[in-house]
Amino acid sequence: MAPGRLNRRTFLAGALAVAAAGCSDSASPSASSTSPTGPSSTGIAGPTIPPPSVPAGGGTGVATPPAAGVPGNPFALGVASGDPLPDRVVLWTRLAPLEGQMPQTVVSVRWEIATDAGFEKRLYEGLAPAVPQFGHSVHVDVQGLKPATTYWYRFSAGSWTSPIGRTRTAPAVGAAVDRLKLAFASCQHFEEGYYRAWADAAASDLDVVIHLGDYIYEDELLGAGKVRNHVGGAPVTLEQYRARWAQYKGDKDLQAAHAACPWLVIWDDHEVENNYAATVSEREGRPGGPTREQFLAQRAAAYQAWWEHQPVRLDPPGSGEFRIYRSFVWGSLATLVLTDSRQYRTDQACGDVPLQTGPACADAAEPSRTMWGADQERWVLDTLATATTTWKALANEVVMGDLRLPNGGILNYDQWDGYAPARNRFLGAVADRNVSNLVVLTGDIHLAGAIDLSVDRGGSKTVVASELVGTSISSRGLLPASIAALARTLFPAVKYFNGDKRGYARCTVTPATWTCEYRVVDDVTRPDGTVSTDATVTITAGTPGVVRR
Ligand code: FE
Ligand code: CA
């Protein structure tokens, strides 16, 4: 995000909040309408339109305005919440009826938040505009909440009311926290499987879910075995990306997981295009491939669609950089650092040809190669080095562990192996700046694993952090069985490995340990698959590295 854009006049949906009837003892929600310090701690800035007038708080509260021209129930995509802070959380929905088109007009949406599921103890309510320019998405940053507290919320428009969502604020900064229950997940190709893993997460009483990207897939499953079909071909325009997102967001198991707790989301490649790197399309130079200019327009459309569909406290993107890296603090227990490994990276080395077993080309060892870009790399290190929490977690897209072959061969140039000097620079700084208890949470690769992360100094390796690789919610395994077998024997740093199962990771974090259960689905091609624990791993505070239990 360009900080300069914060100077424009912005409209904060939450500013329309009024204290609900019967809750006169509650603090008034803050009505700040600017974002003073960047996305890690700010109010959300919405579209730049004037707020509609609302009735004052008291007696009857806020009436739901009519929704002229809305052709059917507009809450088909469910609700979500995200980016929790000790005093605020973002509530999300997007008006998108299953049948018919939304009118090209602003629709006023009522929102409510309560301390009970029956909404008898409503705390705040207000109106937020759903504007066509942003796909009739709604982001409300409700402020004036209490730390470490559970709330329920819902929206209404015209005669329709949304499903009810449950959310939770972060603990107060520095507060002692006994336990954080979180899940992390990635990679949910709609055509390749059902989302039973999300149903399991929804029933797990989590404090927060971290999504590491590949939330949608732009590409079609080639070959047999589709369990359901994408509507339309690979998206390029904003309208096409919106339609793809709406299809994914229609999944009931996914909606249940969003409605169960706040999420922290980043993106990986497929929210735009497979293995794109900054402004370089994977299809650049191929017959029919886009020019740089065309790809930038596609990327901007994809980024906007991401923003429209996710519960994030970020300004909507323009046509250039869209800063999504940001951090969250969970009392004295954990700092959660969310990174962006797509927008600033150097193009993949050596032609990005996968599963090469010969030595890598010289390009891969070029020290100037970057995964995060200089600004983000500095920000990540500073955030980790100044964190005062016991644990520091990195929400990270692609595998960081060193899985290069003994001859220097690189199986996947898209992951950190293809950026090895940048990796060693990062892990070296983690050691030099005494970043303790660093846990890297990783998606992308459609397999489950747990890896010790080492810094290499002149051939001498020291374990400095731990990596937990979640498998995919539904996307197919990528590794041929022969290579998977090789991986098991070749890499002693890999403490757990399962390339065959879909699922997610469910973690319990305490001041003493970070424990993760790898939850796996027996058969992702059935809508009623069952979920169980494949393995449990533990990291002990003060001792970098993973132990399988
Ligand atoms: Fe993926
Ligand atoms: Ca990916």
Side-chain angles (χ1 to χ4, degrees), residues 2-154:
R5 285 180 34 240
L6 298 175
N7 294 329
R8 70 178 188 192
R9 183 168 168 277
T10 54
F11 166 61
L12 177 73
L16 293 179
V18 295
C23 294
S24 54
D25 60 334
S26 59
S28 290
S30 158
S32 81
S33 61
T34 55
S35 303
T37 58
S40 63
S41 61
T42 65
I44 191 167
T48 51
I49 59 161
S53 62
V54 294
T60 56
V62 175
T64 303
V70 175
N73 177 11
F75 296 109
L77 308 190
V79 299
S81 69
D83 286 9
L85 297 178
D87 69 337
R88 65 191 71 180
V89 67
V90 173
L91 310 182
W92 172 91
T93 192
R94 178 183 165 226
L95 306 185
L98 289 177
E99 305 284 332
Q101 296 289 315
M102 282 293 291
Q104 288 301 302
T105 54
V106 179
V107 176
S108 201
V109 177
R110 178 175 173 234
W111 58 269
E112 304 164 81
I113 191 164
T115 53
D116 67 313
F119 286 83
E120 283 170 11
K121 297 177 199 149
R122 275 188 301 150
L123 191 56
Y124 303 126
E125 59 183 322
L127 296 178
V131 304
Q133 181 195 352
F134 294 106
H136 292 100
S137 60
V138 177
H139 299 76
V140 179
D141 192 19
V142 181
Q143 308 184 20
L145 303 176
K146 292 196 173 79
T149 303
T150 299
Y151 296 93
W152 285 261
Y153 62 95
R154 66 186 173 195

Side-chain angles (χ1 to χ4, degrees), residues 186-188 213-214 217 268-270 443-446 472 475 478:
S186 68
C187 298
Q188 48 193 45
D214 288 0
Y217 279 72
D268 194 25
D269 50 340
H270 287 286
D444 177 61
I445 201 65
H446 310 181
S472 50
S475 305
L478 297 167

